Amino acid sequence: MRILVSGGAGYIGSHTTLQLIAAGHDGVIVDDFRRSKRSVVARLDALAGRSIEVHEVDLTDLAATDALVSAGGFDAVVHFAGLKAVGESVEKPLDYYSNNLGSTLSLLAAMSRHGVPKFVFSSSATVYGENAPVPMREDFPTSATNPYGWTKVMQEQILRDAAVADPSLRVALLRYFNPVGAHASGTIGEDPSGIPNNLMPLIAQVAVGRRDKLLIYGDDYPTPDGTGRRDYLHVEDLAAGHVAALDRLGTTDVTVSTWNLGTGTPTSVREVVDAFSRACGHELPVEVAPRRAGDVAESYADPSRAEAELGWRADRTIDQMCEDTWRWQSQNPDGYPDAPSGSSSDLR
Ligand code: WQD
């Protein structure tokens, strides 16, 4: 299939584009490069063994999005593009609502006009809200505690309503737990702009010397070692989940399917730090700090529906996640280089 990958120059989007191409699909990237680097494109070309079609488009621009989809001949859209920093969403809620909802609405309008029937949405376990029991199941109610989370809850609802209005649509809502890791080559990986919010890139930056220590946000949680537990899954397993979901959309007559993408196994902060020390070969300086507002003690998936319906399992271990992250970070201590700005011809 010819598949438009929005946010395809981003962390999960880039890994998924590669796996779509490896699975025989024609993956096409659209990205506005606000939160990703143009230099990713040349690395993806090298890993894919061919030049990947890339479009620089602001998906909140209805006309530009329609022109792209009208000319594209796409069979499906995999939608990663969106702002995703919880803290920033509290400071700039209108940016988050207009960008995240606007891009989804533009894509759906264009898809409806030009007959693109399949939509895979990058959702998040954050839609389970703050008090969800574990393991989390897809039939749990959804809510949020910050504008970023609400944009995910709202986009899921938009997609459900769009599918009621157009039963020919096939939608996959993929609820990610905690994606980490990098392509085994070490040439692509997670490169958050500014100060990372998430644990793994912070640990990686401490390990490579960009940061002097890791703060452990609370060691008094009701967990075995007192630190928060999360369901970390390897980004390559996550990407494979998208390929499996797309295949499923081609055979199911269910209009909207929801799947947790997680391992089902929680790992604590201290266990991640220890695994990363094994991967990088040295101890990591840590300091216990107060709990972070909004953090829960535990969050992990019941992944049984994806296993049963997609034949998908996230089976890479936390050690593999840390080894692959370390290879990426140690080979790219400052992340991706800034490509020269200018026309899209500078994308390579
Ligand atoms: C993981 C654990 C922290 C940083 C977030 C978003 C969620 C989703 C995934 C997009 C927690 C601890 C962290 C640090 C620490 N993103 N930690 N020191 O909070 O589970 O989920 O990312 O969909 O929406 O909320 O991930 O990586 O921030 O934290 O001790 O410097 O690491 O307390 O237990 P989180 P995280």
Side-chain angles (χ1 to χ4, degrees):
M1 291 187 279
R2 186 159 156 84
I3 299 163
L4 182 64
V5 183
S6 81
Y11 172 42
I12 304 168
S14 56
H15 287 80
T16 303
T17 299
L18 280 184
Q19 288 211 22
L20 289 170
I21 290 170
H25 297 296
D26 182 9
V28 175
I29 290 173
V30 56
D31 207 300
D32 65 6
F33 296 103
R34 279 173 59 188
R35 296 290 169 92
S36 56
K37 298 275 181 65
R38 289 171 176 75
S39 53
V40 175
V41 174
R43 298 193 181 193
L44 288 177
D45 287 352
L47 290 168
R50 69 170 176 81
S51 176
I52 298 171
E53 185 181 331
V54 180
H55 298 271
E56 186 169 353
V57 173
D58 173 358
L59 292 173
T60 62
D61 178 335
L62 263 167
T65 303
D66 188 77
L68 172 65
V69 175
S70 165
F74 300 113
D75 303 293
V77 171
V78 183
H79 184 34
F80 295 101
L83 301 173
K84 56 159 262 177
V86 171
E88 183 185 48
S89 78
V90 175
E91 293 162 20
K92 302 174 182 173
L94 302 187
D95 285 0
Y96 272 67
Y97 287 118
S98 58
N99 183 77
N100 291 5
L101 303 190
S103 59
T104 299
L105 291 168
S106 289
L107 282 168
L108 286 171
M111 288 170 67
S112 173
R113 286 187 61 185
H114 303 293
V116 181
K118 299 181 185 71
F119 193 103
V120 175
F121 178 57
S122 168
S123 191
S124 166
T126 204
V127 304
Y128 291 116
E130 214 167 31
N131 304 310
V134 285
M136 292 151 172
R137 288 200 322 273
E138 292 90 348
D139 60 357
F140 282 9
T142 58
S143 68
T145 56
N146 58 76
Y148 160 73
W150 280 118
T151 69
K152 291 297 187 185
V153 172
M154 292 173 184
Q155 290 175 90
E156 288 197 356
Q157 190 56 46
I158 288 167
L159 287 160
R160 280 190 282 268
D161 291 342
V164 168
D166 175 4
S168 71
L169 202 56
R170 291 291 178 271
V171 174
L173 305 178
L174 303 183
R175 291 175 178 169
Y176 309 161
F177 280 73
N178 290 62
V180 295
H183 189 271
S185 66
T187 57
I188 61 171
E190 186 173 11
D191 183 22
S193 46
I195 300 175
N197 298 297
N198 296 133
L199 178 68
M200 190 65 87
L202 282 163
I203 291 178
Q205 289 185 8
V206 169
V208 82
R210 277 176 64 181
R211 242 160 240 291
D212 59 7
K213 65 185 171 205
L214 174 83
L215 296 180
I216 295 181
Y217 293 146
D219 66 350
D220 58 351
Y221 283 102
T223 61
D225 67 13
T227 62
R229 299 211 292 176
R230 295 293 183 275
D231 186 337
Y232 301 96
L233 74 157
H234 198 293
V235 66
E236 291 285 71
D237 285 330
L238 180 60
H242 290 71
V243 178
L246 264 175
D247 290 347
R248 177 77 178 184
L249 291 187
T251 59
T252 184
D253 54 12
V254 173
T255 51
V256 180
S257 304
T258 305
W259 290 297
N260 284 337
L261 297 186
T263 64
T265 303
T267 304
S268 76
V269 177
R270 283 203 186 279
E271 288 169 327
V272 178
V273 171
D274 292 346
F276 209 97
S277 289
R278 292 193 292 273
C280 70
H282 59 263
E283 287 307 304
L284 298 170
V286 302
E287 182 183 305
V288 177
R291 293 183 178 189
R292 179 175 64 178
D295 276 354
V296 296
E298 295 193 302
S299 164
Y300 57 92
D302 172 347
S304 56
R305 182 187 285 183
E307 289 172 16
E309 297 180 2
L310 301 180
W312 173 88
R313 282 183 65 84
D315 48 22
R316 287 175 172 87
T317 65
I318 193 70
D319 280 284
Q320 285 173 291
M321 295 175 212
C322 292
E323 286 156 14
D324 291 343
T325 302
W326 175 238
R327 190 176 306 105
W328 149 253
Q329 191 74 83
S330 56
Q331 288 178 12
N332 304 274
D334 296 321
Y336 291 111
D338 292 316
S341 61
S343 70
S344 55
S345 62
D346 293 312
L347 288 175
R348 283 170 173 71

